[in-house]
């Protein structure tokens, strides 16, 4: 499965999405900083599962309509930073989608995530990440889960990696840096945490109009999850 994650930088890179999906045959598209009032219901064969509602610039998730069905969606607010309280840029910082494979009935979870900005402490972001991962397991206990997005965590990733492993997840970075706007803050900001997945690789794609570079995650489920009985529609 191929998943693209992209922080659009206040929706500036929205016009690039169709070309990205087509160029890389993406199965899932996870967005951050998209204008939720100005996103289409479909992008090159990918259907909008849901977008966050409590903030204009938020999260969205798309899935390939001829491969999956969206079973359930969950958007959650996470512990706020001072930046959040003062400027209120975002309320819901994780959007998880439970998907059912049309052919074999197996289910997976894919989520878009956007951590608090660099003005917050790493400890707060770790708290947000732990909470988001716990919520994903509640969305589908025992299901393979993949959370991608803007983690805003350029330094001391060893601490984050250990915190993620303590929850049974793995942290995977892309092959090159994903953020270029500020000289002293360039680095890996966009990556993935996963459980029940084999991440073949994460590739940083060429930069467009955003200060973040999109990433392409290529992965497959490591163990076949239980088949979920379907009901007639």
């Amino acid at each position: 499965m191929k998943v693209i994650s992209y922080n659009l930088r206040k929706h500036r890179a929205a016009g690039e999405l169709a070309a990205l999906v087509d160029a890389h045959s993406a199965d899932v598209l996870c967005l951050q900083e998209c204008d939720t009032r100005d996103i289409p219901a479909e992008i090159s064969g990918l259907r909008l599962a849901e977008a966050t509602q409590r903030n204009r610039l938020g999260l969205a998730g798309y899935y390939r309509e001829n491969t999956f069905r969206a079973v359930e969606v969950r958007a959650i607010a996470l512990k706020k930073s001072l930046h959040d309280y003062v400027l209120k840029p975002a309320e819901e910082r994780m959007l998880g989608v439970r998907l059912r494979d049309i052919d074999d009935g197996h289910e997976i979870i894919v989520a878009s995530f956007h951590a608090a900005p660099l003005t917050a402490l790493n400890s707060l972001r770790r708290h947000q990440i732990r909470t988001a991962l716990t919520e994903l397991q509640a969305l589908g206990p025992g299901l393979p889960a993949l959370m991608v997005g803007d983690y805003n965590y350029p330094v001391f990733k060893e601490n984050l990696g250990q915190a993620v492993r303590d929850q049974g997840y793995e942290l995977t970075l892309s092959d090159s840096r994903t953020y270029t706007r500020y000289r002293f803050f360039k680095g890996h900001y966009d990556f993935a945490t996963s459980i029940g997945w084999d991440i073949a690789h994460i590739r940083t794609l060429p930069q467009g109009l955003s200060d973040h570079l999109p990433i392409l995650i290529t992965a497959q489920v490591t163990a076949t999850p239980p088949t979920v009985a379907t009901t007639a529609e």
Side-chain angles (χ1 to χ4, degrees):
M1 188 173 82
K2 293 182 178 180
V3 179
I4 289 177
S5 175
Y6 198 6
N7 181 318
L8 301 182
R9 191 187 178 187
K10 299 180 181 179
H11 207 63
R12 295 181 188 181
E16 304 167 11
L17 296 175
L20 276 174
V21 171
D22 289 339
H24 302 285
S25 302
D27 301 295
V28 175
L29 176 65
C30 293
L31 303 177
Q32 305 89 43
E33 288 196 24
C34 63
D35 185 341
T36 55
R37 305 172 305 181
D38 187 34
I39 54 174
E42 187 268 342
I43 299 176
S44 294
L46 303 190
R47 173 62 53 183
L48 177 65
E50 187 62 271
T52 52
Q53 303 297 319
R54 293 165 58 184
N55 39 283
R56 182 178 65 85
L57 286 173
L59 309 173
Y62 289 80
Y63 62 94
R64 187 156 297 282
E65 195 171 22
N66 63 6
T67 305
F68 299 106
R69 289 289 180 268
V71 177
E72 187 178 352
V73 180
R74 180 174 300 182
I76 65 164
L78 300 170
K79 186 177 181 180
K80 294 182 179 180
S81 66
L82 179 61
H83 181 87
D84 293 327
Y85 281 111
V86 174
L87 298 179
K88 299 182 178 180
E91 288 288 332
E92 298 154 310
R93 289 191 172 273
M94 192 277 284
L95 178 72
V97 183
R98 181 170 173 172
L99 297 172
R100 177 178 297 150
D101 190 293
I102 294 173
D103 292 332
D104 60 25
H106 297 149
E107 294 189 355
I108 58 174
I109 296 171
V110 182
S112 182
F113 174 76
H114 191 187
L118 293 178
T119 50
L121 296 174
N122 273 349
S123 58
L124 173 65
R125 281 185 284 274
R126 288 197 300 273
H127 184 281
Q128 291 180 328
I129 293 164
R130 285 195 300 267
T131 302
L133 296 178
T134 299
E135 288 290 333
L136 289 186
Q137 287 301 295
L139 180 59
L143 292 181
L146 174 66
M147 188 171 80
V148 300
D150 177 6
Y151 283 66
N152 273 323
Y153 213 104
V155 296
F156 304 118
K157 290 185 180 63
E158 297 81 4
N159 292 339
L160 176 60
Q162 186 57 56
V164 167
R165 287 190 293 274
D166 287 344
Q167 286 187 263
Y169 286 78
E170 290 295 329
L171 174 71
T172 310
L173 305 184
S174 59
D175 56 0
S176 61
R177 67 190 186 188
T178 67
Y179 186 76
T180 61
R181 186 177 182 187
Y182 297 114
R183 177 181 177 185
F184 296 107
F185 293 106
K186 294 178 180 179
H188 286 84
Y189 283 62
D190 307 81
F191 37 88
T193 46
S194 61
I195 187 171
W197 290 90
D198 177 19
I199 307 293
H201 53 80
I202 300 181
R203 184 156 62 98
T204 302
L205 301 178
Q207 186 167 12
L209 294 177
S210 175
D211 48 359
H212 287 258
L213 281 67
I215 59 173
L216 174 65
I217 302 96
T218 302
Q220 63 180 3
V221 174
T222 56
T224 303
T227 299
V228 178
T230 59
T231 55
E233 296 183 354

